[in-house]
Amino acid sequence: MKNIPFATIERVAKYLRCLKRLDEKKVKVISSKELAEHTKTTPEQVRKDFSYFGRFGKTGTGYDVKKLARKLESILKTQKKWNVAIIGAGALGSALARYPGFKESGYDIKVLFDNDPEKIGKKISGVEVVDIKKFGDTVKKKNIQIAIAAVPKESVNELEEAIAKSSIRGVINFVPVTLNFKTRRKIFIIDVDLAQKLYIMTYLIKRGKGMK
Amino acid sequence: MKNIPFATIERVAKYLRCLKRLDEKKVKVISSKELAEHTKTTPEQVRKDFSYFGRFGKTGTGYDVKKLARKLESILKTQKKWNVAIIGAGALGSALARYPGFKESGYDIKVLFDNDPEKIGKKISGVEVVDIKKFGDTVKKKNIQIAIAAVPKESVNELEEAIAKSSIRGVINFVPVTLNFKTRRKIFIIDVDLAQKLYIMTYLIKRGKGMK
């Protein structure tokens, strides 16, 4: 299970999303060919990705959708529930606090942080907005491992400082800058670039067909 | 230039984001090794991806950051400006209308659509909210090619109908369902799954190091 490429993990998360949708539609069995079509990759790639994690199905009979989804979820999530904090209670942070997809996948938004006295103490979609100055203590008390960064560019320094001093293990970063934590502790960062999807879309539109 | 894998296009968009950041930091030249490190892939993959589009640099001297960014952008975007509509003026749609990264990349949010009389006619971040019933006409008049879907699950049918009847070429879909357009016209769909990033993060945290 060592040295699994990052791209494989990204694809496994895609396969999982696809399988959950199929399960909702009562699809029972899927071949690697069909799974590849749904997730815009090749059957060879699907089988290679799965080979990192052991054997998932018998050759020729396809995969059991529900079982495979459960297996992939256990690989990615490794525990039932994770607690998440959102930093920044502006438009994007508030929208993310309301996003139903997180809870459905077992990720609980426990708290929002902001530095605006107008926002602190209020609730957004049932989630309290707490002073960013109380970040470290709150994260500890609420057993939070992951932060979602959704502050304006100008507040990035304050965010970096709060995270560096806390016990946060990973950051999903929506701020269009490269985060830099002054700590020797390992903090994982995943950057989300919403404009990237538009770049891919305009490419698709201009090329028309001809995509594998 | 035929049959370029979808995964290559996704990576090209990642390279572009990385190069733009480096350019902001006044970095002039980058090797494929460095670019691979920044984007979590391998130097071989970087060179293979670029090989689809011709020669970008001389062996041994690295790539000119600014020139390469311009070249990749022209591949993905193929024209200076694209007009975009957001469907759904709720929390997520409004946040997306305010997201500065779209305009910076040359994608202009021209209009929001909603079916709520309370919202129609208002402006969000300078963008007018228009009745979804006027979708087709407005899209034509404002020369919009791309729609961002950000409605609640319950409004998906109305959204699908409006898009199917319009001249929209592609949809970036934030709604956690599989869209289905009743039209013979080709409409590209890119699904955005915000929970996917959390799955990848929890995998990284649990595995610790050991990622390629």
Side-chain angles (χ1 to χ4, degrees):
Chain A
M1 297 261 291
K2 268 182 210 164
N3 275 333
I4 295 167
F6 186 76
T8 291
I9 299 305
E10 287 189 307
R11 278 190 299 270
V12 168
K14 263 194 201 176
Y15 303 146
L16 175 57
R17 172 199 172 90
C18 173
L19 291 166
K20 284 185 161 190
R21 295 251 178 112
L22 292 169
D23 184 41
E24 277 172 21
K25 289 186 192 164
K26 313 286 178 212
V27 177
K28 299 289 179 206
V29 176
I30 190 169
S31 67
S32 47
K33 187 162 169 280
E34 290 164 313
L35 190 55
E37 274 166 18
H38 281 291
T39 52
K40 298 197 178 95
T41 183
T42 63
E44 295 73 35
Q45 186 70 64
V46 170
R47 288 191 290 266
K48 195 182 166 199
D49 287 338
F50 287 171
S51 72
Y52 286 105
F53 308 104
R55 283 175 65 88
F56 284 173
K58 280 178 214 154
T59 314
T61 62
Y63 303 105
D64 179 307
V65 169
K66 212 184 266 295
K67 269 193 204 162
L68 183 58
R70 217 177 293 140
K71 172 84 180 165
L72 297 187
E73 189 153 32
S74 76
I75 288 168
L76 293 172
K77 217 149 119 262
T78 64
Q79 69 190 46
K80 275 265 174 299
K81 258 191 50 184
W82 287 78
N83 295 332
V84 178
I86 296 175
I87 311 180
L92 185 59
S94 304
L96 293 171
R98 289 189 179 94
Y99 185 70
F102 295 145
K103 197 159 202 165
E104 282 168 18
S105 305
Y107 297 95
D108 253 15
I109 308 295
K110 284 289 182 190
V111 57
L112 280 145
F113 291 96
D114 210 291
N115 59 7
D116 180 352
E118 295 273 314
K119 287 177 185 154
I120 292 164
K122 297 218 167 113
K123 284 198 172 185
I124 292 168
S125 189
V127 183
E128 200 187 345
V129 183
V130 171
D131 191 340
I132 183 79
K133 290 197 182 74
K134 296 181 187 160
F135 188 79
D137 286 347
T138 313
V139 157
K140 218 174 200 172
K141 207 163 46 187
K142 292 187 187 278
N143 190 26
I144 289 164
Q145 299 92 350
I146 301 169
I148 296 178
V151 302
K153 275 186 194 179
E154 305 76 51
S155 303
V156 155
N157 288 344
E158 199 173 351
L159 174 138
E160 286 171 337
E161 240 174 73
I163 291 174
K165 280 193 223 150
S166 76
S167 52
I168 285 288
R169 303 286 310 280
V171 181
I172 314 277
N173 177 34
F174 282 83
V175 193
V177 299
T178 306
L179 297 180
N180 187 8
F181 299 109
K182 288 188 189 93
T183 171
R184 272 194 280 177
R185 201 160 65 75
K186 171 82 183 159
I187 299 173
F188 295 101
I189 303 170
I190 295 178
D191 288 309
V192 182
D193 182 9
L194 297 173
Q196 188 200 357
K197 306 290 178 186
L198 281 167
Y199 277 118
I200 298 168
M201 178 58 79
T202 49
Y203 180 84
L204 292 177
I205 291 174
K206 276 299 169 188
R207 295 292 302 173
K209 294 163 196 175
M211 297 286 293
K212 254 191 218 168
Chain B
M1 297 261 293
K2 268 184 211 164
N3 274 333
I4 295 167
F6 188 76
T8 292
I9 299 305
E10 287 189 306
R11 279 191 299 270
V12 169
K14 265 195 200 174
Y15 303 147
L16 175 58
R17 174 198 172 90
C18 173
L19 290 165
K20 283 184 161 189
R21 294 249 179 113
L22 292 168
D23 185 40
E24 277 173 22
K25 289 186 192 166
K26 313 286 177 210
V27 176
K28 298 289 179 207
V29 176
I30 190 169
S31 66
S32 47
K33 188 162 168 281
E34 289 164 312
L35 190 55
E37 276 165 17
H38 281 292
T39 53
K40 299 198 177 89
T41 183
T42 63
E44 295 73 34
Q45 186 69 66
V46 170
R47 288 191 290 265
K48 193 180 168 201
D49 287 337
F50 287 170
S51 73
Y52 286 104
F53 308 103
R55 283 176 64 90
F56 283 173
K58 279 179 215 157
T59 315
T61 60
Y63 304 106
D64 179 309
V65 169
K66 210 183 265 294
K67 267 193 204 161
L68 183 56
R70 217 177 294 140
K71 173 85 179 164
L72 296 187
E73 189 153 32
S74 76
I75 288 168
L76 293 172
K77 218 148 119 265
T78 61
Q79 67 191 47
K80 276 265 175 296
K81 258 190 50 182
W82 287 78
N83 295 332
V84 179
I86 297 175
I87 311 180
L92 185 59
S94 304
L96 292 172
R98 289 187 179 96
Y99 185 70
F102 295 145
K103 196 157 201 169
E104 282 168 18
S105 305
Y107 298 95
D108 253 14
I109 308 295
K110 285 288 182 191
V111 57
L112 281 144
F113 291 96
D114 210 290
N115 60 6
D116 180 353
E118 295 272 313
K119 287 177 185 156
I120 293 163
K122 296 215 169 118
K123 284 200 172 183
I124 292 168
S125 190
V127 183
E128 200 185 346
V129 183
V130 171
D131 191 338
I132 183 79
K133 290 198 185 75
K134 297 182 186 159
F135 188 79
D137 287 347
T138 313
V139 157
K140 217 173 199 174
K141 207 163 48 186
K142 291 188 187 279
N143 190 26
I144 289 164
Q145 300 93 349
I146 301 169
I148 296 178
V151 301
K153 276 186 194 180
E154 305 77 52
S155 303
V156 155
N157 288 343
E158 198 173 353
L159 173 138
E160 286 171 338
E161 239 175 75
I163 291 174
K165 280 192 225 152
S166 76
S167 53
I168 285 288
R169 304 285 310 280
V171 181
I172 314 277
N173 177 33
F174 282 84
V175 193
V177 299
T178 306
L179 297 180
N180 188 7
F181 300 109
K182 287 186 191 94
T183 171
R184 273 194 281 176
R185 203 160 63 75
K186 170 85 183 158
I187 299 173
F188 295 101
I189 303 171
I190 295 178
D191 288 309
V192 182
D193 181 8
L194 297 173
Q196 188 200 357
K197 305 293 177 185
L198 281 166
Y199 277 119
I200 297 168
M201 179 57 79
T202 50
Y203 179 85
L204 291 178
I205 290 175
K206 277 296 170 189
R207 296 291 304 171
K209 295 161 195 177
M211 297 288 293
K212 251 189 217 169

